[in-house]
Amino acid sequence: MDLQLILDQINSELRPLLGTSGGKVASYIPALARVSPLQFGIALRTCEGEVAQAGDSAVPFSIQSMSKMFSLTLAIRSLDEALWDRIGREPSGSPFNSLVQLETERGIPRNPFINAGAIAVADRLVSLGDANVELLALLGRLCGEPIRIDAEVAQSEADTGFRNTALANFMKGFGTLDNDVATVLDVYFQQCAIAMTCEQVACAAGYLCRDGRHPLAGVPVLSSAQTRRVNALMLTCGTYDAAGEFAFRIGLPCKSGVGGGIVAVVPDRLTLCVWSPALDATGNSLLGRQALELFVAKTGLSVF
Ligand code: GLN
C-alpha cells in the first residue's frame, strides 16, 4: 500500500474545501481565534518507522485536549489500577466541558478525556511530582526533539478558564482532588498549551500502535495491557459526544483537541495525525474527521 500516495490524495481532495466547510476555529482565546482556518496537514508513522505526510504537516499547532492522552499515559504508568479509584471509564455523551454529570456522580468524572477527568488526572500527576516537566520530558523522548509549551496560549487558558475552574472546585468539594485547585489547574492549562506538528504527534503516539513500545523511547512506555486500555478509552471517549459517530464512520481509537488536531491509532500498523483548525459543534476538526473517513475508506484500515 502506497501510504504517501494516499495522504497526497486526501490532501488534494480536502484542500479545496478549506474555508467552505462551515466549521469555526476555536474562539475562546485570542491565540486560537487568530489561527487561519485555511490549513490542513496530515502525517503518519508506521510500526516499522515508515513516515508519510502531506499539506501543513510541519506547522506547529496547539494540541489542547490531545495532551490528555499523554497525561493519561503518565498517570497509568505510575498508578496503574489505582488511577481508577476516582475517575470513571464510561463515555459521557456530553460536551467536553460539561459540569452536569459531576453532580449526579458525586464528583467522579465519567472518563479521563472530558475536561473534568483530565483535571483529575492532572491532580494525580501533581501528587507524583513535577507533572509538566515529566510530560514535556516524555514527549521529547517520544519525538526525539524538544517539545515546548506556548506561553501565550497557557496564559489565555488561565485567564479564561472559568468553566475549568468551576469543574476543579466542584471536584475538590467532593474530595476527588487531593491537591490545591490552583496548582492542579496550572498543570492542566499548561498541558493544553503544548504546541506540536502533525509529524511530531504521529511519532509521539507511536507506542499506542506497538503494544506500548516506542522505537525512540528506549524502554516501553506502557505495558501491552495498559496500551489496550488507553486505546479503548480513545475509541469510546476520545472525541467526546461525537465518539459514537467517530466509531461508526471511522472505527479507530482517536483523540481530538480544539486546536483542530486529531490523532488516530491503527493497532499493529500505524499512528496518524490530522490537523485543520475549523471545528464542528462538538469541538472536533471538521476536515480532520473527513480526512480520517477518507483514510479508512482508501486503506480499509479500521479496528472493525
Ligand atoms: N483548553 C480546552 C479546555 O480546557 C481544551 C478542550 C479541548 O481541546 N477539547 O476547554
Side-chain angles (χ1 to χ4, degrees):
M1 190 171 347
D2 188 340
L3 293 168
Q4 181 59 55
L5 179 70
I6 290 169
L7 296 199
D8 285 335
Q9 287 171 348
I10 294 172
N11 185 39
S12 357
E13 282 177 52
L14 294 185
R15 203 154 263 282
L17 305 183
L18 285 171
T20 65
S21 63
K24 290 208 165 35
V25 301
S27 57
Y28 68 100
I29 57 175
L32 291 185
R34 66 167 178 263
V35 173
S36 165
L38 304 180
Q39 301 181 85
F40 174 82
I42 186 163
L44 65 76
R45 190 179 173 100
T46 67
C47 286
E48 293 75 36
E50 180 190 346
V51 292
Q53 59 276 311
D56 302 307
S57 62
V59 178
F61 64 91
S62 190
I63 70 167
Q64 291 291 327
S65 284
M66 296 163 94
S67 65
K68 294 171 183 173
M69 187 178 81
F70 298 115
S71 60
L72 175 66
T73 294
L74 276 181
I76 287 194
R77 194 157 75 163
S78 297
L79 299 171
D80 206 20
E81 289 301 302
L83 178 66
W84 307 113
D85 291 350
R86 281 174 279 170
I87 301 175
R89 301 182 294 256
E90 293 296 340
S92 73
S94 298
F96 59 81
N97 53 8
S98 174
L99 234 144
V100 184
Q101 286 161 337
L102 273 185
E103 166 104 66
T104 46
E105 296 180 14
R106 312 231 19 100
I108 303 294
R110 272 257 163 149
N111 67 65
F113 289 151
I114 49 173
N115 288 11
I119 292 167
V121 169
D123 176 70
R124 296 303 107 80
L125 293 177
V126 168
S127 298
L128 289 167
D130 198 336
N132 281 335
V133 170
E134 291 288 327
L135 189 56
L136 288 179
L138 173 71
L139 291 173
R141 282 196 300 277
L142 296 176
C143 292
E145 56 192 348
I147 298 299
R148 62 176 196 90
I149 290 171
D150 182 321
E152 185 198 344
V153 174
Q155 187 57 51
S156 302
E157 292 285 342
D159 292 343
T160 61
F162 305 110
R163 291 182 72 131
N164 288 320
T165 306
L167 290 167
N169 277 310
F170 206 57
M171 286 191 288
K172 183 78 178 172
F174 276 110
T176 303
L177 306 185
D178 289 334
N179 297 285
D180 171 52
V181 165
T183 309
V184 174
L185 283 173
D186 184 53
V187 165
Y188 175 74
F189 292 141
Q190 303 235 16
Q191 77 174 60
C192 286
I194 290 171
M196 291 172 78
T197 67
C198 287
E199 291 165 21
Q200 287 173 327
V201 174
C203 179
Y207 62 98
L208 293 172
C209 71
R210 293 173 99 249
D211 277 334
R213 290 167 291 107
H214 189 286
L216 304 179
V219 289
V221 180
L222 292 177
S223 72
S224 129
Q226 290 167 335
T227 307
R228 278 200 299 279
R229 293 185 161 173
V230 174
N231 277 311
L233 287 163
M234 288 170 69
L235 183 80
T236 53
C237 315
T239 49
Y240 316 113
D241 39 334
E245 191 67 10
F246 266 74
F248 183 78
R249 293 189 180 277
I250 296 160
L252 293 173
C254 290
K255 184 72 208 83
S256 60
V258 290
I262 309 176
V263 59
V265 180
V266 184
D268 302 323
R269 290 298 290 269
L270 55 86
T271 42
L272 175 71
C273 178
V274 283
W275 170 61
S276 194
L279 307 176
D280 65 15
T282 59
N284 294 300
S285 170
L286 247 171
L287 282 194
R289 184 200 294 214
Q290 287 182 38
L292 292 174
E293 280 191 60
L294 279 175
F295 181 79
V296 170
K298 285 175 190 293
T299 60
L301 294 174
S302 161
V303 296
F304 300 113

